[in-house]
Amino acid sequence: MGSGTAALHLALLAVGVGPGDEVITTAHTFIATAEPISHVGARPVLVDIDPRTYTIDPDKVEAAITPRTRAIIPVHLYGQPADLRPLLEIAERHHLWLIEDAAQAHGAEYDGKRCGGIGHLACFSFYPGKNLGAYGDGGAVTGNDETLLARVRSLHDHGSTTKYEHREIGYCERLDALQAAILGAKLPHLDAWTDARRAHAKTYNELLQDSRMVTPYESPKARHVYHLYVIRAPRRDEMLERLKKNGIAAGIHYPIPLHRQPAYFKQGYGELSLPFTEKAACEIISLPMYAELTDEQIEYVTEAVKAVQ
Ligand SMILES: Cc1ncc(COP(=O)(O)O)c(C=O)c1O
């Protein structure tokens, strides 16, 4: 696919989500999770997160189902899989599609299985900053259902399965060949990079143990791949400033929940209250995380963090 956003868009089309439908997802994510739902004419129904994992709360999903609901898009946020077991049960009970937003979760596992092969379809992004990143945009749709995958394949290449025969009006969302070559060269290193990220997370956790920071919770069902290392800080904004002054590239993922984004706010989401999502948006801060980090760099960052607590 041309991008993770295109992957989500075509996955939704492939399962037949369209105008008038509802798709349940989380407000604590990048806007690209919701945009494709809007693009197919459906309505994103935004529900709250589990405050420990930052991923969609399955109980809230069940409560939000209406006769119009067609699909659920859990996001494996920061590299931690959403709680897929109850979500799959809900999907089965209510005859809904489950599409994993795995844009941040290359190599993540849930119940010992790799994300990307658990829901009906899954969508990855290869945006340069991702755990497996190209040098430009890229994405992929994965799954186990050949019929659905064939449909995505056709949609992404002008609606054709045989050259110059177009059975439907499709899209031009092929992965650029140069990006594919780069990804092919990087893919064999992904597992080692993931191990390095996990080791860095452990070092951060140990160094922040005696601080007031809330370090990431790792569900026992999940293998977190730490696309981002996100802590909660009591004086977050001050900390961000301080870290920046010290040359540390910290960030906030994400500062404005989707229901508070101007693009969605004006579509009637303004009344929505998602307390755990809103609280997280005010407290979270992402510390530097990439495979090549050194222990000295992690120490430097944690010292700066502790200086503002
Ligand atoms: C959670 C999530 N979903 C979807 C996307 C969209 O991916 P892309 O930027 O490749 O379109 C991203 C990344 O940007 C993301 O982080």
Side-chain angles (χ1 to χ4, degrees):
M1 294 291 153
S3 66
T5 309
L8 284 160
H9 182 196
L10 301 194
L12 284 165
L13 288 176
V15 299
V17 174
D21 293 337
E22 291 177 358
V23 177
I24 302 173
T25 192
T26 161
H28 187 59
T29 181
F30 183 56
I31 194 163
T33 305
E35 279 173 321
I37 303 171
S38 305
H39 289 156
V40 300
R43 183 172 172 80
V45 172
L46 304 173
V47 302
D48 215 347
I49 49 167
D50 172 331
R52 282 201 303 179
T53 61
Y54 304 105
T55 60
I56 200 164
D57 179 342
D59 291 338
K60 304 275 167 47
V61 171
E62 180 121 53
I65 292 171
T66 75
R68 288 173 181 265
T69 310
R70 295 292 305 278
I72 308 167
I73 304 186
V75 180
H76 304 323
L77 200 74
Y78 308 148
Q80 166 130 270
D83 197 2
L84 290 171
R85 202 187 305 158
L87 291 171
L88 283 165
E89 278 166 22
I90 293 166
E92 197 173 333
R93 210 169 332 116
H94 295 273
H95 308 289
L96 306 175
W97 297 105
L98 191 141
I99 300 173
E100 299 172 59
D101 182 339
Q104 305 188 358
H106 315 76
E109 290 175 15
Y110 180 88
D111 268 351
K113 284 195 209 130
R114 284 249 162 152
C115 290
I118 303 175
H120 296 106
L121 286 173
C123 301
F124 288 88
S125 163
F126 303 127
Y127 184 77
K130 298 296 194 250
N131 287 27
L132 179 62
Y135 290 176
D137 284 300
V141 176
T142 60
N144 296 307
D145 182 326
E146 259 315 315
T147 312
L148 287 180
L149 291 174
R151 181 111 177 78
V152 173
R153 219 171 274 129
S154 157
L155 282 167
H156 102 298
D157 192 12
H158 302 284
S160 79
T161 43
T162 312
K163 200 161 185 174
Y164 300 132
E165 188 189 351
H166 307 275
R167 291 178 180 248
E168 60 186 332
I169 297 170
Y171 297 81
C172 179
E173 288 296 357
R174 294 176 304 244
L175 176 63
D176 180 85
L178 191 59
Q179 303 309 334
I182 289 158
L183 291 167
K186 290 178 82 174
L187 183 60
H189 303 281
L190 179 63
D191 287 340
W193 288 333
T194 301
D195 290 344
R197 283 174 183 268
R198 288 180 53 77
H200 298 330
K202 199 162 163 264
T203 309
Y204 266 127
N205 290 345
E206 283 163 9
L207 293 173
L208 291 173
Q209 203 168 254
D210 57 347
S211 75
R212 292 177 62 211
M213 305 304 130
V214 179
T215 53
Y217 167 77
E218 214 179 293
S219 157
K221 291 181 235 169
R223 184 166 189 266
H224 196 321
V225 294
Y226 292 97
H227 170 57
L228 294 168
Y229 181 85
V230 177
I231 60 169
R232 287 193 194 233
R235 291 156 64 196
R236 195 271 310 270
D237 294 337
E238 210 181 317
M239 179 174 297
L240 188 63
E241 277 306 300
R242 176 71 168 258
L243 295 183
K244 282 190 176 159
K245 270 196 196 122
N246 283 288
I248 298 166
I252 299 173
H253 302 88
Y254 295 89
I256 309 173
L258 297 191
H259 61 300
R260 299 278 184 250
Q261 288 288 354
Y264 280 110
F265 189 83
K266 61 186 180 211
Q267 287 195 8
Y269 289 83
E271 300 295 303
L272 194 58
S273 159
L274 302 173
F276 291 133
T277 297
E278 287 151 29
K279 191 165 188 295
C282 297
E283 295 178 355
I284 48 172
I285 180 162
S286 314
L287 303 182
M289 172 56 82
Y290 47 91
E292 299 79 4
L293 266 181
T294 63
D295 284 352
E296 292 70 36
Q297 287 173 312
I298 296 175
E299 263 167 51
Y300 178 73
V301 174
T302 52
E303 286 310 312
V305 163
K306 287 193 224 173
V308 191
Q309 59 177 313

